[in-house]
mmCIF file of all heavy atoms in Angstrom:
data_model
loop_
_atom_site.group_PDB
_atom_site.id
_atom_site.type_symbol
_atom_site.label_atom_id
_atom_site.label_comp_id
_atom_site.label_asym_id
_atom_site.label_seq_id
_atom_site.Cartn_x
_atom_site.Cartn_y
_atom_site.Cartn_z
ATOM 1 N N TYR B 35 69.524 133.611 115.260
ATOM 2 C CA TYR B 35 69.194 133.410 113.855
ATOM 3 C C TYR B 35 69.361 134.711 113.099
ATOM 4 O O TYR B 35 69.151 135.802 113.640
ATOM 5 C CB TYR B 35 67.743 132.938 113.704
ATOM 6 C CG TYR B 35 67.427 131.622 114.357
ATOM 7 C CD1 TYR B 35 67.024 131.569 115.695
ATOM 8 C CD2 TYR B 35 67.512 130.439 113.645
ATOM 9 C CE1 TYR B 35 66.729 130.363 116.289
ATOM 10 C CE2 TYR B 35 67.208 129.221 114.249
ATOM 11 C CZ TYR B 35 66.823 129.206 115.569
ATOM 12 O OH TYR B 35 66.539 128.004 116.170
ATOM 13 N N GLN B 37 67.643 136.564 109.928
ATOM 14 C CA GLN B 37 66.456 136.498 109.065
ATOM 15 C C GLN B 37 66.573 137.516 107.950
ATOM 16 O O GLN B 37 66.727 138.722 108.209
ATOM 17 C CB GLN B 37 65.169 136.735 109.866
ATOM 18 C CG GLN B 37 63.913 136.542 109.008
ATOM 19 C CD GLN B 37 62.607 136.720 109.781
ATOM 20 O OE1 GLN B 37 62.589 137.297 110.870
ATOM 21 N NE2 GLN B 37 61.524 136.208 109.241
ATOM 22 N N GLN B 41 65.430 134.057 102.479
ATOM 23 C CA GLN B 41 66.333 133.064 103.096
ATOM 24 C C GLN B 41 65.752 132.471 104.365
ATOM 25 O O GLN B 41 66.291 131.505 104.910
ATOM 26 C CB GLN B 41 67.680 133.721 103.442
ATOM 27 C CG GLN B 41 68.483 134.158 102.231
ATOM 28 C CD GLN B 41 68.946 132.992 101.404
ATOM 29 O OE1 GLN B 41 69.412 131.985 101.940
ATOM 30 N NE2 GLN B 41 68.817 133.083 100.096
ATOM 31 N N GLY B 42 64.679 133.065 104.841
ATOM 32 C CA GLY B 42 64.075 132.545 106.065
ATOM 33 C C GLY B 42 64.975 132.785 107.254
ATOM 34 O O GLY B 42 65.685 133.797 107.317
ATOM 35 N N LEU B 43 64.946 131.863 108.198
ATOM 36 C CA LEU B 43 65.770 131.967 109.394
ATOM 37 C C LEU B 43 66.991 131.083 109.237
ATOM 38 O O LEU B 43 66.881 129.864 109.116
ATOM 39 C CB LEU B 43 64.987 131.520 110.643
ATOM 40 C CG LEU B 43 64.115 132.551 111.322
ATOM 41 C CD1 LEU B 43 62.880 132.818 110.515
ATOM 42 C CD2 LEU B 43 63.748 132.096 112.730
ATOM 43 N N GLU B 48 73.806 128.116 118.932
ATOM 44 C CA GLU B 48 73.017 127.871 120.138
ATOM 45 C C GLU B 48 73.955 127.735 121.318
ATOM 46 O O GLU B 48 75.000 127.070 121.222
ATOM 47 C CB GLU B 48 72.184 126.594 120.018
ATOM 48 C CG GLU B 48 71.359 126.330 121.267
ATOM 49 C CD GLU B 48 70.910 124.881 121.419
ATOM 50 O OE1 GLU B 48 71.338 124.016 120.602
ATOM 51 O OE2 GLU B 48 70.150 124.588 122.365
ATOM 52 N N ARG B 55 76.652 124.880 121.861
ATOM 53 C CA ARG B 55 76.264 123.495 121.596
ATOM 54 C C ARG B 55 76.138 123.201 120.112
ATOM 55 O O ARG B 55 76.311 122.071 119.669
ATOM 56 C CB ARG B 55 74.953 123.198 122.311
ATOM 57 C CG ARG B 55 74.499 121.755 122.192
ATOM 58 C CD ARG B 55 73.547 121.372 123.288
ATOM 59 N NE ARG B 55 72.248 122.046 123.185
ATOM 60 C CZ ARG B 55 71.221 121.792 124.008
ATOM 61 N NH1 ARG B 55 71.336 120.850 124.926
ATOM 62 N NH2 ARG B 55 70.088 122.445 123.892
ATOM 63 N N ASN B 56 75.798 124.230 119.344
ATOM 64 C CA ASN B 56 75.636 124.047 117.914
ATOM 65 C C ASN B 56 76.059 125.298 117.183
ATOM 66 O O ASN B 56 75.942 126.407 117.736
ATOM 67 C CB ASN B 56 74.167 123.763 117.570
ATOM 68 C CG ASN B 56 73.853 122.291 117.536
ATOM 69 O OD1 ASN B 56 74.503 121.515 116.858
ATOM 70 N ND2 ASN B 56 72.860 121.894 118.297
ATOM 71 N N LYS B 57 76.492 125.125 115.970
ATOM 72 C CA LYS B 57 76.919 126.273 115.167
ATOM 73 C C LYS B 57 76.429 126.086 113.736
ATOM 74 O O LYS B 57 76.495 124.982 113.198
ATOM 75 C CB LYS B 57 78.441 126.388 115.208
ATOM 76 C CG LYS B 57 78.995 127.675 114.642
ATOM 77 C CD LYS B 57 80.495 127.725 114.788
ATOM 78 C CE LYS B 57 81.095 129.083 114.459
ATOM 79 N NZ LYS B 57 80.633 129.675 113.204
ATOM 80 N N LEU B 90 67.599 137.536 115.203
ATOM 81 C CA LEU B 90 66.647 137.074 116.208
ATOM 82 C C LEU B 90 67.326 136.207 117.241
ATOM 83 O O LEU B 90 68.180 135.383 116.918
ATOM 84 C CB LEU B 90 65.531 136.273 115.533
ATOM 85 C CG LEU B 90 64.608 137.033 114.595
ATOM 86 C CD1 LEU B 90 63.710 136.065 113.846
ATOM 87 C CD2 LEU B 90 63.766 138.029 115.374
ATOM 88 N N GLY B 97 66.103 121.269 128.302
ATOM 89 C CA GLY B 97 67.302 121.007 127.509
ATOM 90 C C GLY B 97 67.310 121.703 126.178
ATOM 91 O O GLY B 97 68.206 121.503 125.366
ATOM 92 N N GLY B 98 66.287 122.511 125.926
ATOM 93 C CA GLY B 98 66.245 123.266 124.677
ATOM 94 C C GLY B 98 65.586 122.527 123.537
ATOM 95 O O GLY B 98 65.653 122.985 122.400
ATOM 96 N N GLU B 99 64.903 121.410 123.832
ATOM 97 C CA GLU B 99 64.340 120.622 122.737
ATOM 98 C C GLU B 99 62.916 121.019 122.387
ATOM 99 O O GLU B 99 62.341 120.522 121.439
ATOM 100 C CB GLU B 99 64.371 119.127 123.105
ATOM 101 C CG GLU B 99 63.484 118.760 124.285
ATOM 102 C CD GLU B 99 64.124 119.041 125.640
ATOM 103 O OE1 GLU B 99 65.290 119.453 125.644
ATOM 104 O OE2 GLU B 99 63.443 118.850 126.651
ATOM 105 N N GLY B 100 62.338 121.933 123.171
ATOM 106 C CA GLY B 100 60.936 122.284 122.949
ATOM 107 C C GLY B 100 60.747 123.584 122.209
ATOM 108 O O GLY B 100 61.566 123.996 121.394
ATOM 109 N N GLU B 101 59.644 124.225 122.529
ATOM 110 C CA GLU B 101 59.287 125.473 121.873
ATOM 111 C C GLU B 101 60.355 126.544 122.116
ATOM 112 O O GLU B 101 60.910 126.652 123.202
ATOM 113 C CB GLU B 101 57.953 125.974 122.426
ATOM 114 C CG GLU B 101 57.518 127.333 121.923
ATOM 115 C CD GLU B 101 56.256 127.819 122.601
ATOM 116 O OE1 GLU B 101 55.705 127.083 123.449
ATOM 117 O OE2 GLU B 101 55.822 128.953 122.301
ATOM 118 N N GLN B 102 60.604 127.322 121.076
ATOM 119 C CA GLN B 102 61.493 128.459 121.230
ATOM 120 C C GLN B 102 60.655 129.731 121.338
ATOM 121 O O GLN B 102 59.687 129.918 120.609
ATOM 122 C CB GLN B 102 62.453 128.567 120.043
ATOM 123 C CG GLN B 102 63.444 127.417 119.999
ATOM 124 C CD GLN B 102 64.652 127.723 119.123
ATOM 125 O OE1 GLN B 102 64.526 128.395 118.116
ATOM 126 N NE2 GLN B 102 65.806 127.192 119.494
ATOM 127 N N PHE B 104 60.756 133.722 120.910
ATOM 128 C CA PHE B 104 61.548 134.679 120.163
ATOM 129 C C PHE B 104 61.447 136.091 120.713
ATOM 130 O O PHE B 104 60.389 136.528 121.177
ATOM 131 C CB PHE B 104 61.134 134.674 118.696
ATOM 132 C CG PHE B 104 61.648 133.494 117.947
ATOM 133 C CD1 PHE B 104 60.970 132.293 117.979
ATOM 134 C CD2 PHE B 104 62.826 133.569 117.224
ATOM 135 C CE1 PHE B 104 61.437 131.187 117.294
ATOM 136 C CE2 PHE B 104 63.316 132.457 116.545
ATOM 137 C CZ PHE B 104 62.617 131.270 116.585
ATOM 138 N N PRO B 106 62.074 140.330 119.769
ATOM 139 C CA PRO B 106 61.650 141.182 118.656
ATOM 140 C C PRO B 106 62.705 141.343 117.575
ATOM 141 O O PRO B 106 62.400 141.763 116.471
ATOM 142 C CB PRO B 106 61.366 142.509 119.327
ATOM 143 C CG PRO B 106 62.264 142.517 120.515
ATOM 144 C CD PRO B 106 62.350 141.090 120.989
ATOM 145 N N ASN P 32 61.496 116.517 116.935
ATOM 146 C CA ASN P 32 60.349 117.302 117.401
ATOM 147 C C ASN P 32 60.026 118.263 116.278
ATOM 148 O O ASN P 32 60.931 118.843 115.654
ATOM 149 C CB ASN P 32 60.677 118.074 118.679
ATOM 150 C CG ASN P 32 60.877 117.166 119.878
ATOM 151 O OD1 ASN P 32 60.429 115.999 119.870
ATOM 152 N ND2 ASN P 32 61.518 117.658 120.896
ATOM 153 N N PHE P 34 57.636 121.546 114.598
ATOM 154 C CA PHE P 34 56.958 122.789 114.973
ATOM 155 C C PHE P 34 56.495 123.563 113.737
ATOM 156 O O PHE P 34 57.119 123.478 112.674
ATOM 157 C CB PHE P 34 57.919 123.722 115.753
ATOM 158 C CG PHE P 34 58.611 123.090 116.921
ATOM 159 C CD1 PHE P 34 59.761 122.322 116.737
ATOM 160 C CD2 PHE P 34 58.125 123.249 118.208
ATOM 161 C CE1 PHE P 34 60.411 121.736 117.785
ATOM 162 C CE2 PHE P 34 58.764 122.675 119.294
ATOM 163 C CZ PHE P 34 59.912 121.921 119.078
ATOM 164 N N TYR P 36 55.698 127.676 113.252
ATOM 165 C CA TYR P 36 55.666 129.004 113.833
ATOM 166 C C TYR P 36 55.003 129.960 112.847
ATOM 167 O O TYR P 36 55.035 129.747 111.636
ATOM 168 C CB TYR P 36 57.078 129.504 114.132
ATOM 169 C CG TYR P 36 57.760 128.838 115.286
ATOM 170 C CD1 TYR P 36 58.417 127.630 115.138
ATOM 171 C CD2 TYR P 36 57.757 129.422 116.553
ATOM 172 C CE1 TYR P 36 59.047 127.007 116.213
ATOM 173 C CE2 TYR P 36 58.385 128.819 117.631
ATOM 174 C CZ TYR P 36 59.034 127.619 117.448
ATOM 175 O OH TYR P 36 59.653 127.023 118.513
ATOM 176 N N GLN P 38 54.533 134.258 111.905
ATOM 177 C CA GLN P 38 54.981 135.629 112.144
ATOM 178 C C GLN P 38 53.985 136.557 111.465
ATOM 179 O O GLN P 38 53.972 136.699 110.231
ATOM 180 C CB GLN P 38 56.384 135.851 111.590
ATOM 181 C CG GLN P 38 56.998 137.181 111.983
ATOM 182 C CD GLN P 38 58.473 137.250 111.574
ATOM 183 O OE1 GLN P 38 58.893 136.680 110.569
ATOM 184 N NE2 GLN P 38 59.279 137.942 112.378
ATOM 185 N N HIS P 43 56.336 139.317 116.720
ATOM 186 C CA HIS P 43 57.348 138.304 116.914
ATOM 187 C C HIS P 43 56.902 136.984 116.325
ATOM 188 O O HIS P 43 55.713 136.717 116.155
ATOM 189 C CB HIS P 43 57.540 138.018 118.428
ATOM 190 C CG HIS P 43 57.934 139.185 119.236
ATOM 191 N ND1 HIS P 43 58.254 139.080 120.569
ATOM 192 C CD2 HIS P 43 58.047 140.492 118.953
ATOM 193 C CE1 HIS P 43 58.565 140.266 121.040
ATOM 194 N NE2 HIS P 43 58.438 141.134 120.088
ATOM 195 N N LEU P 44 57.856 136.128 116.055
ATOM 196 C CA LEU P 44 57.549 134.742 115.738
ATOM 197 C C LEU P 44 56.901 134.097 116.947
ATOM 198 O O LEU P 44 57.345 134.291 118.088
ATOM 199 C CB LEU P 44 58.838 133.984 115.440
ATOM 200 C CG LEU P 44 59.299 133.941 114.005
ATOM 201 C CD1 LEU P 44 60.778 133.651 113.948
ATOM 202 C CD2 LEU P 44 58.524 132.889 113.244
ATOM 203 N N LEU P 46 54.678 130.363 118.374
ATOM 204 C CA LEU P 46 54.365 128.976 118.091
ATOM 205 C C LEU P 46 52.905 128.802 117.687
ATOM 206 O O LEU P 46 52.013 129.348 118.328
ATOM 207 C CB LEU P 46 54.642 128.123 119.324
ATOM 208 C CG LEU P 46 54.461 126.624 119.162
ATOM 209 C CD1 LEU P 46 55.583 126.049 118.296
ATOM 210 C CD2 LEU P 46 54.440 125.938 120.518
ATOM 211 N N PHE P 51 55.571 116.199 119.407
ATOM 212 C CA PHE P 51 56.707 115.494 120.007
ATOM 213 C C PHE P 51 56.523 113.993 119.845
ATOM 214 O O PHE P 51 57.451 113.289 119.457
ATOM 215 C CB PHE P 51 56.845 115.846 121.489
ATOM 216 C CG PHE P 51 57.385 117.236 121.757
ATOM 217 C CD1 PHE P 51 57.615 118.140 120.737
ATOM 218 C CD2 PHE P 51 57.630 117.651 123.053
ATOM 219 C CE1 PHE P 51 58.100 119.415 120.974
ATOM 220 C CE2 PHE P 51 58.125 118.925 123.322
ATOM 221 C CZ PHE P 51 58.359 119.796 122.279
ATOM 222 N N GLU P 88 53.525 135.060 107.732
ATOM 223 C CA GLU P 88 54.546 134.154 107.214
ATOM 224 C C GLU P 88 54.620 132.947 108.143
ATOM 225 O O GLU P 88 54.651 133.102 109.368
ATOM 226 C CB GLU P 88 55.906 134.843 107.109
ATOM 227 C CG GLU P 88 56.930 134.023 106.335
ATOM 228 C CD GLU P 88 58.102 134.835 105.821
ATOM 229 O OE1 GLU P 88 58.306 135.973 106.289
ATOM 230 O OE2 GLU P 88 58.830 134.314 104.934
ATOM 231 N N PHE P 90 56.466 129.326 109.253
ATOM 232 C CA PHE P 90 57.744 128.610 109.238
ATOM 233 C C PHE P 90 57.585 127.234 109.867
ATOM 234 O O PHE P 90 57.076 127.114 110.973
ATOM 235 C CB PHE P 90 58.804 129.377 110.034
ATOM 236 C CG PHE P 90 59.196 130.695 109.441
ATOM 237 C CD1 PHE P 90 58.523 131.849 109.813
ATOM 238 C CD2 PHE P 90 60.235 130.777 108.530
ATOM 239 C CE1 PHE P 90 58.876 133.080 109.260
ATOM 240 C CE2 PHE P 90 60.599 132.000 107.979
ATOM 241 C CZ PHE P 90 59.918 133.162 108.357
ATOM 242 N N ARG P 94 63.483 119.978 115.234
ATOM 243 C CA ARG P 94 64.557 119.844 116.214
ATOM 244 C C ARG P 94 64.926 118.374 116.312
ATOM 245 O O ARG P 94 64.107 117.547 116.679
ATOM 246 C CB ARG P 94 64.081 120.346 117.579
ATOM 247 C CG ARG P 94 65.047 120.054 118.721
ATOM 248 C CD ARG P 94 66.206 121.008 118.712
ATOM 249 N NE ARG P 94 67.014 120.852 119.939
ATOM 250 C CZ ARG P 94 67.759 121.822 120.444
ATOM 251 N NH1 ARG P 94 67.835 122.985 119.851
ATOM 252 N NH2 ARG P 94 68.444 121.620 121.534
ATOM 253 N N THR P 99 73.168 115.835 116.589
ATOM 254 C CA THR P 99 73.563 117.248 116.635
ATOM 255 C C THR P 99 72.588 118.115 117.438
ATOM 256 O O THR P 99 72.942 119.228 117.811
ATOM 257 C CB THR P 99 73.660 117.852 115.230
ATOM 258 O OG1 THR P 99 72.346 117.815 114.639
ATOM 259 C CG2 THR P 99 74.630 117.070 114.356
ATOM 260 N N TYR P 100 71.381 117.632 117.671
ATOM 261 C CA TYR P 100 70.345 118.406 118.381
ATOM 262 C C TYR P 100 70.070 119.740 117.697
ATOM 263 O O TYR P 100 69.639 120.684 118.328
ATOM 264 C CB TYR P 100 70.772 118.674 119.831
ATOM 265 C CG TYR P 100 70.917 117.427 120.646
ATOM 266 C CD1 TYR P 100 72.141 116.786 120.753
ATOM 267 C CD2 TYR P 100 69.815 116.868 121.290
ATOM 268 C CE1 TYR P 100 72.283 115.629 121.474
ATOM 269 C CE2 TYR P 100 69.949 115.706 122.024
ATOM 270 C CZ TYR P 100 71.183 115.094 122.124
ATOM 271 O OH TYR P 100 71.312 113.958 122.840
ATOM 272 N N LYS P 101 70.276 119.827 116.391
ATOM 273 C CA LYS P 101 70.072 121.094 115.689
ATOM 274 C C LYS P 101 68.585 121.415 115.579
ATOM 275 O O LYS P 101 67.732 120.536 115.507
ATOM 276 C CB LYS P 101 70.684 121.050 114.297
ATOM 277 C CG LYS P 101 72.188 121.308 114.322
ATOM 278 C CD LYS P 101 72.706 121.520 112.915
ATOM 279 C CE LYS P 101 74.175 121.894 112.998
ATOM 280 N NZ LYS P 101 74.770 122.069 111.660
ATOM 281 N N TYR P 102 68.304 122.700 115.560
ATOM 282 C CA TYR P 102 66.956 123.235 115.409
ATOM 283 C C TYR P 102 66.992 124.002 114.090
ATOM 284 O O TYR P 102 67.611 125.044 114.003
ATOM 285 C CB TYR P 102 66.684 124.179 116.576
ATOM 286 C CG TYR P 102 65.250 124.387 116.984
ATOM 287 C CD1 TYR P 102 64.844 124.132 118.293
ATOM 288 C CD2 TYR P 102 64.295 124.874 116.115
ATOM 289 C CE1 TYR P 102 63.545 124.349 118.713
ATOM 290 C CE2 TYR P 102 62.993 125.081 116.521
ATOM 291 C CZ TYR P 102 62.616 124.821 117.824
ATOM 292 O OH TYR P 102 61.325 125.040 118.236
ATOM 293 N N PHE P 104 65.041 125.717 110.686
ATOM 294 C CA PHE P 104 63.807 126.281 110.149
ATOM 295 C C PHE P 104 63.772 126.154 108.630
ATOM 296 O O PHE P 104 64.811 126.210 107.957
ATOM 297 C CB PHE P 104 63.703 127.762 110.503
ATOM 298 C CG PHE P 104 63.252 128.023 111.906
ATOM 299 C CD1 PHE P 104 64.104 127.843 112.976
ATOM 300 C CD2 PHE P 104 61.951 128.458 112.158
ATOM 301 C CE1 PHE P 104 63.680 128.071 114.279
ATOM 302 C CE2 PHE P 104 61.517 128.701 113.457
ATOM 303 C CZ PHE P 104 62.381 128.502 114.512
ATOM 304 N N GLY P 105 62.581 126.026 108.103
ATOM 305 C CA GLY P 105 62.397 126.135 106.655
ATOM 306 C C GLY P 105 62.491 127.600 106.255
ATOM 307 O O GLY P 105 62.578 128.488 107.105
ATOM 308 N N THR P 106 62.430 127.859 104.973
ATOM 309 C CA THR P 106 62.589 129.214 104.458
ATOM 310 C C THR P 106 61.317 130.046 104.578
ATOM 311 O O THR P 106 61.342 131.247 104.300
ATOM 312 C CB THR P 106 63.034 129.220 102.998
ATOM 313 O OG1 THR P 106 62.156 128.382 102.248
ATOM 314 C CG2 THR P 106 64.463 128.705 102.871
#
Side-chain angles (χ1 to χ4, degrees):
Chain B
Y35 298 88
Q37 185 178 17
Q41 294 293 317
L43 275 74
E48 180 201 6
R55 184 159 68 176
N56 268 307
K57 191 177 190 312
L90 294 171
E99 65 278 356
E101 175 185 359
Q102 292 198 326
F104 284 84
Chain P
N32 291 340
F34 308 83
Y36 288 83
Q38 189 171 33
H43 301 186
L44 269 158
L46 184 72
F51 286 5
E88 191 161 15
F90 294 91
R94 171 77 171 205
T99 64
Y100 297 92
K101 280 191 175 178
Y102 206 124
F104 281 76
T106 52

